[in-house]
Each structure stands twice: as C-alpha cells, then as structure tokens.
Amino acid sequence: MVNPGGAYLGADLFVIDVEVEAGADLLLTTQSATKVYRTRGSFAEQRMNIKLEEGSRLELMPDQLIAYREASYRQNSHIRLHPTSSLVLAEVITPGWSPDGASFKYEEVRLRNEIYVEAGDGVKLLALDNLLIRPPCNDVTGMGFMEGFSHLGSLVVADPRVEQGLADELDQMAREFDAYTGVSLTASIAGTAGLVLRSLSYSTEELNNLLGACTGVLRERWYGQAPLNLRKY
C-alpha cells in the first residue's frame, strides 16, 4: 500500500477495503513508515474494512506508525473472518522527533480493531482491541501504562490453531528481547480463537525483531514458510 502524500495531515481520511477470497493468501504491507504530522485542531484517520473468506489467510504487516508533535491519529479496522480463515496483524507505534527530545509530544493515537467471526447462528464479536494514548490528558510514561518505555508493539492473531500452549510459547519467546510483554487469549467462537500480544520497548528495531520472531514461528509451523524478509531499505 502506497501513501501518495508521504504523510498524514489534519482532516486526511484514508479508506481501505480488503477482501481475501476463499483459499487465497495475502501479505499486505506498506511502502514505508506511516508518518502523522501536526493536525492543528483536527485529526488524520484511516478506516480499514477486511473480509476473509473460507480457508483464506491475511498477514497484515505495516511499517511503524510515527506520530510527531501535535499529531492526532485514529485508526479503525473492522475485520470479518470465516471460522477457517487466518489473520496475523503486527503493528509498532513510535514517537516522532520533537525539538526538546521528549517522546510523547503527539496529541492522540487511537487504534481500534473489531474482529468478528461468521458463526452458524450469525456474526459474533471475537475481540475488541482498543488502544488509546493521549499524552496531554494524563501521564502515559509511568506505571500502569508505558512503564517508562517509549515504543509499543502489538501482534493480533485469529486462527483455529490459536490455543493456550501457543500463547505460553510466544510469551516465553518474548522474554529473550529487551521488552516488557503480555499475552492475552479470547474465548473460542465457531472453532476459532484470538491472541493479542502487547510489548513495550525503547526502539522500533527491537519490537520489529520480537514481532518478526513470533510471526516466524507461526509461518514455519502452520505453513512451512521462512520468516518474512521484505527488504524495503
């Protein structure tokens, strides 16, 4: 996906629709980092609608989101899965440069993922993952939030093969990195389940390495494929 403007500005709205047909595999990434500059009393927004058909697979691997001074950004993703489809989504949030060197000079970053599964008795909510960071409203640097770290990484997986053993394995693997990580599981709906890994660190590179290691395990175990090497730089 290419952002023709090079960055997001105030009142920008990007709408992305993705449908992966039955039996198809799609790896979707961005050309470079998503940069959000000053939005001046407004906000930039991205809306993504994703539908995965029977037996399909989507790996959504955007480069990092960089929020600069006085930036507000909202990202809303509505994802609809077939019980036999597979979703892997990895994201990293990075604070942009500011004149005084402080990390949290942006106004707001809001990432909301709604994941639904087509069950036999209708479409049901599997997970609602809502991340909201508002540095001007409260101290996001301390205990109970960023815990002194500056960068945040997320891995969201929805697949019939998600279970407690996998969550424990990824949690153990994450401890090998310079990051503070937690893993959560959803309940199972129509035979599929969700996993959310959230990690805090001091660098984009460390989080990319961590998320790459975790997704590498899934690619090798589920599909016999090597870890991703997108070679963008």
Side-chain angles (χ1 to χ4, degrees):
M1 295 186 291
V2 179
N3 174 8
Y8 285 17
L9 302 171
D12 280 352
L13 172 61
F14 289 77
V15 179
I16 302 167
D17 294 314
V18 178
E19 182 172 355
V20 188
E21 296 185 350
D25 292 353
L26 175 63
L27 168 61
L28 191 59
T29 186
T30 51
Q31 182 187 34
S32 60
T34 299
K35 299 177 181 179
V36 186
Y37 294 137
R38 290 181 179 178
T39 52
R40 294 288 189 184
S42 182
F43 58 87
E45 183 178 5
Q46 175 181 291
R47 300 174 190 168
M48 178 174 285
N49 298 299
I50 298 172
K51 185 176 181 182
L52 302 185
E53 300 286 0
E54 182 177 1
S56 65
R57 170 192 177 196
L58 172 63
E59 292 178 286
L60 185 55
M61 305 291 179
D63 282 351
Q64 67 268 23
L65 168 68
I66 306 176
Y68 288 88
R69 185 171 52 144
E70 299 179 31
S72 292
Y73 176 73
R74 299 178 184 179
Q75 178 177 297
N76 294 283
S77 300
H78 185 279
I79 304 167
R80 182 165 171 169
L81 308 174
H82 188 275
T84 62
S85 61
S86 179
L87 169 73
V88 177
L89 164 62
E91 294 183 292
V92 173
I93 301 174
T94 300
W97 177 89
S98 63
D100 60 2
S103 294
F104 297 98
K105 288 298 185 178
Y106 54 84
E107 296 291 319
E108 175 184 282
V109 169
R110 179 188 306 207
L111 306 182
R112 181 182 175 94
N113 297 311
E114 299 178 38
I115 304 175
Y116 296 87
V117 176
E118 298 174 356
D121 53 350
V123 178
K124 295 187 176 182
L125 180 66
L126 177 69
L128 175 57
D129 181 38
N130 190 46
L131 173 67
L132 177 60
I133 307 175
R134 284 179 174 163
C137 296
N138 41 52
D139 181 13
V140 302
T141 63
M143 187 176 298
F145 210 98
M146 294 296 289
E147 300 282 350
F149 296 94
S150 54
H151 294 56
L152 186 146
S154 295
L155 176 67
V156 178
V157 183
D159 189 282
R161 293 160 288 195
V162 168
E163 40 79 33
Q164 185 64 56
L166 176 63
D168 293 341
E169 182 177 352
L170 296 184
D171 180 65
Q172 189 65 37
M173 177 184 298
R175 298 182 188 185
E176 301 174 7
F177 294 84
D178 185 16
Y180 181 60
T181 303
V183 183
S184 301
L185 281 174
T186 72
S188 177
I189 295 179
T192 195
L195 177 152
V196 177
L197 179 148
R198 198 86 81 203
S199 191
L200 303 172
S201 187
Y202 300 106
S203 77
T204 299
E205 182 180 9
E206 190 71 9
L207 290 176
N208 282 336
N209 289 337
L210 189 161
L211 297 178
C214 291
T215 57
V217 168
L218 304 181
R219 290 173 61 84
E220 193 281 327
R221 183 169 305 169
W222 291 350
Y223 304 102
Q225 295 178 331
L228 283 175
N229 180 7
L230 297 175
R231 299 181 62 188
K232 299 181 187 179
Y233 308 109

